[in-house]
Amino acid sequence: MEYAIELKGISKSFGPVAANKNINLGLAKGEILALLGENGSGKTTLMNMLSGIYMPDSGSIFIDGKKVEINSPEDSGKLGIGMVHQHFKLVERFTALENIRIGMRGAGRFIHGADVRKKIENTAAKFGFDIDLDKVVANMSVSEKQTLEILKVLCYGAKIIILDEPTAVLTVQEIDTLFAVLRKMKEDGHSVIIITHKLNEVMAISDRVAVLRHGEYIDTVVTKDTNEKALTELMVGHKVDLNIDRPIMEKTQPLLEIRDLTVKNDEGAIAVDHINFYIRGGEMLGVAGIAGSGQKELCEAIAGLRKIEEGQMIHEGESIVGMSPKKILDHGISMSFIPEDRLGMGLAPSLSITDNMILKNYNDSKGIFVDRKSGREEAQKVIDQLEVVTPSTETPVRRLSGGNVQKVLLGREIKAGPNVLVTAYPVRGLDINSSYTIYNILNEQKKKGVGILFVGEDLDVMLELCDKIMVICHGKLQGVVNSDHTTKEELGLMMTGAKNIVNKDGKTAGIAKDSAFTDEEVKA
């Protein structure tokens, strides 16, 4: 096999932590290679050495069979390597054209502006990009920004493209468009590495799959000769049941009713626009929408963290509009909120796991002393139940990995015994093993009669896990669908603003109404 890139004996450590240990890996010319592994397996660190952000402690890198040294992103670019990071590297105030032009070697002084535009337009047309070069980045959608990043590295002459979690916040239709572009790149002789946690995407787009575990190289397999279950076992080192249960519970009266809710974002614009829905006990309602469609503001409003402009929020018959988070708890309303921002809003990063467990109910302590013994016991229960990787209950939360931070937060909220649980992206950043642990814990709460609002981004998971799915677009309700009678393609269309989608059975998948309060109104 002829390699575009070959890594031999690559190791990288940060202090006592070994991120990569003696990695041997090859990317063939004209192939799409998926790089798979759990959180902390060393995938991004390895790719950052190819992009010049880090330098290896030991080992060698070969490009087209020749040994090279990559000491900076400039070195990487000169060698024909382009990396599209999970967090885009764009100047928000510049147009698409200006963002590409500023990085083109020789642009401005030696290349006429019209020639630069022509080159970019030709590259875009060659790979099927649909992009407005005069649009300011700040006004672009996530998909448009990603398109710009890929076009940028292609215009810089990259023949090896690295994509880090490129589909995390894209709709189904946007993912299909991206994959079509990647296939055209492959046909043109480019080599592509894609880092992703989504096994269905790995199976759909890659030629081969390389697996890392705990910083070590495990194996590379041909995609058509494997399956999702086998790949999962390679990642985690043991068998994992990939089925997501959805227990069907007896319907109760709504625990939480949201009526004509309107909320503004931090800039003062309407983020949630007259939305209506309800959650019953023993029911999981999914919320699907393109990033920035009002999910964050909706969750914060329900938790009492954001002002309500209009509408009602009724919990077990009592209005909670205007109540502070503490007052909601003081009134006996058992509502827990798992925010999108774990460390900024959910937990105190400098405090230990024990102290973070105590924070929720320290006011219940008698006298002037806080009962740390019970807090330590609760922390240990969460560590044991959720398999939190930590030296002890006294470890500061900021020293935990993102996945372990999420487990601590979820464990603390469930410990409070809520009857409504609001979760914002509860498995974002978690590896597949940890994600399934979270799904099982949420289902256990559902069996106890808890009503769950599940804001997610993986439509396949939402269809398996949730009873109903509410779709929002630009803050407006697009429809509420029964998970058993819709598809992720239909959900994707609704997320982009389409209404009254007719499914393959000739039935309407979603509703475009101002109310979603009775089962009769939730069409399937």
Side-chain angles (χ1 to χ4, degrees), residues 193-211:
I193 297 177
I194 180 170
I195 301 173
T196 179
H197 284 299
K198 301 178 181 179
L199 294 178
N200 60 323
E201 295 177 1
V202 169
M203 299 301 298
I205 191 62
S206 67
D207 299 300
R208 294 189 304 149
V209 186
V211 180

Side-chain angles (χ1 to χ4, degrees), residues 232-249:
T232 302
E233 291 175 7
L234 279 175
M235 277 196 298
V236 303
H238 57 79
K239 291 185 178 181
V240 176
D241 184 1
L242 294 179
N243 293 316
I244 301 177
D245 293 328
R246 191 205 306 160
I248 306 301
M249 308 305 296

Side-chain angles (χ1 to χ4, degrees), residues 429-449:
L430 271 64
D431 56 61
I432 191 165
N433 202 27
S434 299
S435 296
Y436 276 74
T437 299
I438 300 301
Y439 302 149
N440 291 334
I441 291 171
L442 291 177
N443 275 329
E444 286 303 313
Q445 294 302 300
K446 178 181 169 182
K447 289 176 184 177
K448 295 177 181 178

Side-chain angles (χ1 to χ4, degrees), residues 267-281:
E267 286 72 42
I270 297 296
V272 178
D273 194 355
H274 296 89
I275 278 183
N276 294 267
F277 67 91
Y278 65 90
I279 305 173
R280 297 180 184 274

Side-chain angles (χ1 to χ4, degrees), residues 89-103 132-140 145 148 156:
K89 312 294 184 183
L90 298 169
V91 182
E92 290 283 317
R93 294 187 178 185
F94 284 10
T95 65
L97 177 64
E98 290 167 338
N99 267 278
I100 297 174
R101 184 187 175 102
I102 57 175
D132 180 357
L133 293 179
D134 297 314
K135 191 171 185 177
V136 176
V137 169
N139 298 327
M140 289 183 171
K145 290 178 182 178
L148 174 57
Y156 295 169

Side-chain angles (χ1 to χ4, degrees), residues 303-321:
L305 298 170
R306 187 172 288 271
K307 179 185 174 184
I308 307 300
E309 300 297 325
E310 293 181 44
Q312 283 294 317
M313 298 193 304
I314 301 167
H315 180 267
E316 292 189 311
E318 181 181 2
S319 174
I320 59 173
V321 173

Side-chain angles (χ1 to χ4, degrees), residues 32-93:
I32 299 176
L33 176 73
L35 187 58
L36 214 54
E38 293 186 275
N39 299 114
S41 61
K43 305 183 298 296
T44 300
T45 298
L46 188 64
M47 293 302 100
N48 280 338
M49 283 187 274
L50 288 179
S51 67
I53 294 175
Y54 299 144
M55 287 178 284
D57 297 332
S58 61
S60 302
I61 300 173
F62 296 83
I63 305 290
D64 295 330
K66 297 179 181 178
K67 186 176 179 180
V68 300
E69 286 192 11
I70 303 175
N71 298 316
S72 68
E74 186 178 6
D75 289 345
S76 179
K78 288 178 179 178
L79 291 167
I81 302 171
M83 183 166 177
V84 178
H85 297 269
Q86 194 170 358
H87 302 289
F88 303 135
K89 312 294 184 183
L90 298 169
V91 182
E92 290 283 317
R93 294 187 178 185

